[in-house]
Amino acid sequence: MNMQALMQAMGNMQGMGAPPEPLVKVKAGKMEAVPIAGTDKFTISPMKPKGQLQLLKDETGMMRFQWKDRISQTVDEEGQGVNHMIFPGDANFVKVVTGREGDRIYMLQFSAQASRRYFFWLQDKDDKDDAELTGKLNEYMNNPEAAAKAEEERLAAELKETEDILGDDAGDDDFGSDW
């Protein structure tokens, strides 16, 4: 195997200290919700940063719903912004009906606390995958078995990819054949 293939294979594996790979990723920006005085409604305004919502199992096996800045590649700190532990039945990710055609506004709503909600606007230019991605977010947040199956499938695909890389170049190493 050549060195380039080995380095690529090693880069694809989750090593020590590597952040867990998300089960679902959705390009989305955060929104600010400001209550409208005297009503139970809000004015919701988009914030500028390009972002990504991600659902993943952290190093301890806990499901996390996070927002990541796509430019700086930083994840919101726990307790600040959007970085929450999610338990089955704890939250839902739902489309917000704004009354305007084409709006792609979603809300993470926690079940036990109605005031605990976070708004997002989907940023992918094409909306064809919105229903599938948001459906996966809800399914994996609220169904640990489905999340475990998705994680197993992702890991199996990564392993196959690594094996394919290693197998494709077998016998073609840079070290000679005397090893």
Side-chain angles (χ1 to χ4, degrees), residues 124-139:
D124 200 311
K125 290 178 184 175
D126 192 350
D127 65 356
K128 70 178 174 50
D129 294 330
D130 288 1
E132 178 185 353
L133 292 171
T134 58
K136 283 182 180 180
L137 275 173
N138 277 312
E139 181 180 13

Side-chain angles (χ1 to χ4, degrees), residues 90-108:
D90 198 22
N92 285 300
F93 192 71
V94 296
K95 185 169 175 104
V96 176
V97 178
T98 64
R100 293 189 305 225
E101 190 176 327
D103 275 358
R104 297 165 63 208
I105 310 297
Y106 284 79
M107 171 178 63
L108 177 67

Side-chain angles (χ1 to χ4, degrees), residues 11-15 18-25 54-59 61 63 136 140 145-163:
N12 287 337
M13 296 187 297
Q14 279 186 295
E21 186 65 29
L23 295 169
V24 183
K25 297 186 259 188
Q54 51 189 32
L55 186 69
L56 54 88
K57 279 191 176 180
D58 68 12
E59 299 81 11
M63 191 66 71
K136 283 182 180 180
Y140 298 162
E145 292 81 21
K149 182 178 180 193
E151 186 173 33
E152 286 174 18
E153 290 171 356
R154 182 187 56 76
L155 290 171
E158 281 182 16
L159 180 60
K160 182 174 179 350
E161 183 180 327
T162 302
E163 288 173 345

